[in-house]
Amino acid sequence: MSTPRIQRFPRPSWTAQASQRVASLRRTGSDFASYLVVRMGVAVIQTMPLDMGDTLCRMLANLVVGRLKIRQQTTEQNLKLVFPLATDRDRRRIELAMWHHLMLMVCEIAWAQRRLHLTNWSQYLRFKNNREILRRCLDDRPAVLVTGHFGNFEISNYAFGLMGCETTTIARRLDNPFLNDWVQRFRGAKGQRMLDKEGCAMEVDRHLASGGSLAILADQHAGPKGCWTHFLGAPASCHKALALFSLSSNAPMIVGCNRRIDGQPMRFQAECVAVADPLDDPAGDCDSVTSLTQWYNRNLAVAVGRSVEQYWWLHRRWREPPARVAKRLAKAA
């Protein structure tokens, strides 16, 4: 009788294990090197006077638009979609101003922890509809704060935390763990709590049920199965969860923004653009997920219209809708 053969699975060779370990070390080293470069850049920016930083940002914006042409095709497509009657010169002017805004936004984030304090915030920040903002911050009810890739939304969250208005924000983790931890420390320095967007629904429900405030960037593409509506006159797919968070917890939805004013760095106006309250809704904006989604997109468009150069036109907000959706939106228009 023959002895049954025992099947043996090959063990990973020491060479393969060593190769994996080397690859992991290289990746970690590359991430840490990137982190050091960013931190050194931030340290240099923090020593700059505001006017010097502004001048540097204008120079970098001209370099990006004129030579590097970063995300130029996406930016041009978005501007042509939203401003079909604008001239090429006008669109280029908006693109250049947008890049200046983005560069300056980075500088302002770097300056904030050194220059923006509880004793001097009024030098840098003023409020529009401040009574409404204060009332909502002090209310025991939960709230869903909605904004977009517009103005300097990082500074607004930092400033509100500075004043004791704590919020929870949903955001995607950065791929670089060192940079992610550093950004998280900045965002959480004054009480802002961060949630990873993956699998956060139950945690958000608990937070709103306890009367907390949730801050969300609402202009993220949600794919073909999202809630399609018009944003700045063009079809856009929106995440249904934003409206559901508000409707399921009876939390007022507040559209706000924090845009740069007076043409100067570190000069902001925080504004409550509009409020939709499921418990006080004579206009019917909170009747459904679709109606509330349409409402906040209309009001975000109003905010963007006040300073179009401060919107992220390089952001891939608009995509081609499915045929049936395009047909429905055309009828609604």
Side-chain angles (χ1 to χ4, degrees):
M1 179 181 295
S2 61
T3 303
R5 300 179 63 183
I6 300 175
Q7 184 177 4
R8 296 182 181 274
F9 295 95
R11 294 181 179 180
S13 66
W14 287 107
T15 304
Q17 291 180 0
S19 178
Q20 292 175 359
R21 179 171 295 183
V22 169
S24 176
L25 289 173
R26 283 179 177 173
R27 185 166 55 251
T28 301
S30 176
D31 288 342
F32 189 67
S34 300
Y35 166 75
L36 288 179
V37 170
V38 171
R39 288 303 307 268
M40 286 188 291
V42 168
V44 171
I45 291 170
Q46 288 176 331
T47 65
M48 288 184 179
L50 299 185
D51 57 347
M52 183 183 293
D54 188 34
T55 300
L56 176 62
C57 290
R58 292 187 188 279
M59 294 170 59
L60 290 174
N62 277 287
L63 177 64
V64 169
V65 174
R67 295 284 186 179
L68 302 180
K69 304 184 186 299
I70 299 175
R71 300 294 290 270
Q72 189 174 69
Q73 184 176 0
T74 300
T75 303
E76 287 182 354
Q77 289 175 348
N78 288 341
L79 290 173
K80 286 180 180 179
L81 185 66
V82 176
F83 303 110
L85 302 180
T87 64
D88 290 341
R89 183 176 180 180
D90 289 336
R91 286 192 286 266
R92 182 179 174 83
R93 178 182 57 80
I94 295 174
E95 181 184 10
L96 183 62
M98 175 203 69
W99 275 107
H100 170 247
H101 160 70
L102 292 177
M103 300 293 182
L104 195 53
M105 182 178 174
V106 174
C107 291
E108 289 164 342
I109 293 170
W111 287 327
Q113 286 187 319
R114 296 288 185 90
R115 304 180 187 231
L116 181 58
H117 307 293
L118 191 59
T119 57
N120 69 350
W121 64 264
S122 59
Q123 297 177 24
Y124 303 109
L125 185 68
R126 72 187 191 197
F127 292 96
K128 186 176 181 180
N129 301 331
N130 56 335
R131 290 180 180 273
E132 185 67 25
I133 295 173
L134 184 61
R135 184 166 73 89
R136 299 295 174 179
C137 286
L138 298 178
D139 199 342
D140 291 335
R141 293 178 62 193
V144 177
L145 312 174
V146 170
T147 190
H149 289 84
F150 173 68
N152 199 327
F153 46 88
E154 293 286 359
I155 293 294
S156 64
N157 286 333
Y158 181 85
F160 274 87
L162 187 70
M163 298 172 191
C165 300
E166 298 181 359
T167 60
T168 293
T169 302
I170 299 174
R172 186 181 71 85
R173 291 181 61 86
L174 299 179
D175 295 331
N176 186 320
F178 301 103
L179 285 175
N180 181 77
D181 292 345
W182 177 58
V183 170
Q184 297 281 34
R185 287 196 299 272
F186 167 78
R187 287 173 165 171
K190 302 302 177 183
Q192 185 183 8
R193 180 187 175 210
M194 305 303 301
L195 285 180
D196 190 358
K197 65 184 295 185
E198 298 298 330
C200 67
M202 293 183 63
E203 184 66 25
V204 169
D205 288 341
R206 285 194 292 268
H207 177 68
L208 292 174
S210 66
S213 296
L214 179 69
I216 311 177
L217 289 176
D219 57 343
Q220 303 276 10
H221 178 68
K225 294 184 179 181
C227 181
W228 286 85
T229 185
H230 283 93
F231 176 57
L232 291 170
S237 176
C238 308
H239 288 282
K240 299 174 184 177
L242 276 70
L244 285 171
F245 287 148
S246 178
L247 297 176
S248 61
S249 61
N250 285 325
M253 179 176 282
I254 304 167
V255 175
C257 66
N258 183 52
R259 61 190 180 93
R260 193 178 302 106
I261 57 173
D262 301 332
Q264 298 181 36
M266 291 295 288
R267 297 290 188 275
F268 305 106
Q269 177 174 278
E271 177 181 357
C272 174
V273 180
V275 179
D277 190 341
L279 299 183
D280 183 15
D281 185 36
D285 295 316
C286 300
D287 284 348
S288 65
V289 168
T290 299
S291 63
L292 189 54
T293 302
Q294 292 171 340
W295 174 85
Y296 75 68
N297 275 278
R298 286 196 306 269
N299 285 285
L300 275 179
V302 169
V304 172
R306 292 170 184 162
S307 299
V308 295
E309 75 284 353
Q310 293 187 39
Y311 189 69
W312 290 27
W313 297 105
L314 52 71
H315 177 49
R316 296 190 64 195
R317 178 66 188 103
W318 297 274
R319 316 288 176 90
E320 190 69 27
R324 58 180 181 80
V325 173
K327 186 175 181 180
R328 174 176 61 79
L329 291 174
K331 286 183 177 179

